[in-house]
Amino acid sequence: MAAVRALILLALASAGAALHVQDGIQHNLTVCNAYAENKPLSVYTVNQKAKLTEEPLHYKACKEIVIELADSERIVFKLGGISVGTFHVGNLPFAPTSLLLVPYRKGNSTMAATFYSHAFSVAQENAQLAVVDAYEGSSPGAMKIAQGSKRRSETVQLKPGTAVTLTPGAYQVSLDDSSSKVAKTVALTAAEGGKHVVIRVGGSDGIPQELVVFSGEASERSGALRAGAALLAAAAAGAALLA
């Protein structure tokens, strides 16, 4: 029943290029649980036989892990002791890199998980924001970002599966419905060199769509808005996933 996916992690500056592999490199891995289920996920590595989180990772929560990863490693996600997905690691960056892995439901008719993966650019000095749509329901929704402490017309729509660079400062990220009405708004403060994640989560089986923003310390789903700085531009697409 476990869904299997291959991992190709690409730096923003070299998307699509082949990357060398070296065993024994320590990476900063952020795991965000977008698997729409009230029970938490336990996370394990197969080769190292290690449990990656002391406690199971709750839905909509993110965890930063410093881990020594090598090609052919497998990361298993279990729900109540039952495996729902296995992520195969390969083609890792040669140098230590900040990586992102997001498990989410493959569909409401199955318990199997699928995955989104991304490698943040090591050459980018500005803050980076990875955009993930893990929603499996039928309700329309669009993720947008804007500067300032109040919603303005100068918003930029965030394309899922890509990353944007941000100048240091504060922003507001919103989840809009089909009529452009704001359903959710979350504050984001971008620090120089910061790595951030925005995820649309939820499912049609009674779990509503929500917006999760993670900035390296705690994931947030709502919050006061703060004064902001300018948005730069959309960068290259994030990591590719192979079927």
Side-chain angles (χ1 to χ4, degrees), residues 92-182:
L92 284 166
F94 186 80
T97 309
S98 292
L99 310 175
L100 171 66
L101 181 58
V102 182
Y104 60 99
R105 290 279 289 273
K106 198 174 183 179
N108 290 308
S109 61
T110 177
M111 295 296 290
T114 189
F115 301 94
Y116 172 85
S117 64
H118 177 70
F120 292 95
S121 172
V122 296
Q124 180 57 250
E125 295 181 356
N126 287 308
Q128 300 172 55
L129 174 66
V131 184
V132 183
D133 193 348
Y135 178 66
E136 290 299 317
S138 58
S139 299
M143 293 175 282
K144 298 180 180 180
I145 190 169
Q147 65 181 60
S149 58
K150 297 181 180 179
R151 179 172 171 81
R152 303 178 180 181
S153 58
E154 303 91 324
T155 59
V156 176
Q157 185 161 336
L158 297 170
K159 183 179 179 180
T162 66
V164 298
T165 57
L166 306 171
T167 54
Y171 300 82
Q172 56 174 336
V173 182
S174 62
L175 176 61
D176 295 5
D177 62 19
S178 59
S179 62
S180 296
K181 179 181 179 181
V182 179

Side-chain angles (χ1 to χ4, degrees), residues 22-236:
Q22 178 175 328
D23 292 347
I25 296 293
Q26 279 198 331
H27 298 280
N28 294 317
L29 174 65
T30 296
V31 179
C32 291
N33 180 7
Y35 188 89
E37 174 63 48
N38 291 325
K39 295 180 181 179
L41 293 177
S42 297
V43 189
Y44 303 86
T45 55
V46 174
N47 296 350
Q48 297 182 22
K49 295 181 173 58
K51 187 175 182 180
L52 296 188
T53 58
E54 293 183 6
E55 299 294 333
L57 190 63
H58 288 277
Y59 175 53
K60 298 181 289 188
C62 296
K63 179 69 175 179
E64 290 182 306
I65 305 162
V66 177
I67 182 173
E68 188 175 286
L69 280 176
D71 261 6
S72 77
E73 182 60 271
R74 288 168 291 166
I75 301 176
V76 178
F77 293 83
K78 293 185 177 182
L79 182 71
I82 300 175
S83 174
V84 295
T86 302
F87 194 81
H88 283 206
V89 178
N91 294 327
L92 284 166
F94 186 80
T97 309
S98 292
L99 310 175
L100 171 66
L101 181 58
V102 182
Y104 60 99
R105 290 279 289 273
K106 198 174 183 179
N108 290 308
S109 61
T110 177
M111 295 296 290
T114 189
F115 301 94
Y116 172 85
S117 64
H118 177 70
F120 292 95
S121 172
V122 296
Q124 180 57 250
E125 295 181 356
N126 287 308
Q128 300 172 55
L129 174 66
V131 184
V132 183
D133 193 348
Y135 178 66
E136 290 299 317
S138 58
S139 299
M143 293 175 282
K144 298 180 180 180
I145 190 169
Q147 65 181 60
S149 58
K150 297 181 180 179
R151 179 172 171 81
R152 303 178 180 181
S153 58
E154 303 91 324
T155 59
V156 176
Q157 185 161 336
L158 297 170
K159 183 179 179 180
T162 66
V164 298
T165 57
L166 306 171
T167 54
Y171 300 82
Q172 56 174 336
V173 182
S174 62
L175 176 61
D176 295 5
D177 62 19
S178 59
S179 62
S180 296
K181 179 181 179 181
V182 179
K184 303 286 181 181
T185 302
V186 180
L188 183 153
T189 301
E192 184 174 351
K195 310 297 188 295
H196 309 274
V197 185
V198 56
I199 312 172
R200 181 187 181 216
V201 300
S204 62
D205 53 352
I207 301 179
Q209 64 170 325
E210 294 184 72
L211 193 65
V212 173
V213 174
F214 182 74
S215 296
E217 294 180 355
S219 54
E220 300 181 30
R221 289 172 292 279
S222 63
L225 303 179
R226 296 181 282 273
L231 174 67
L232 283 181

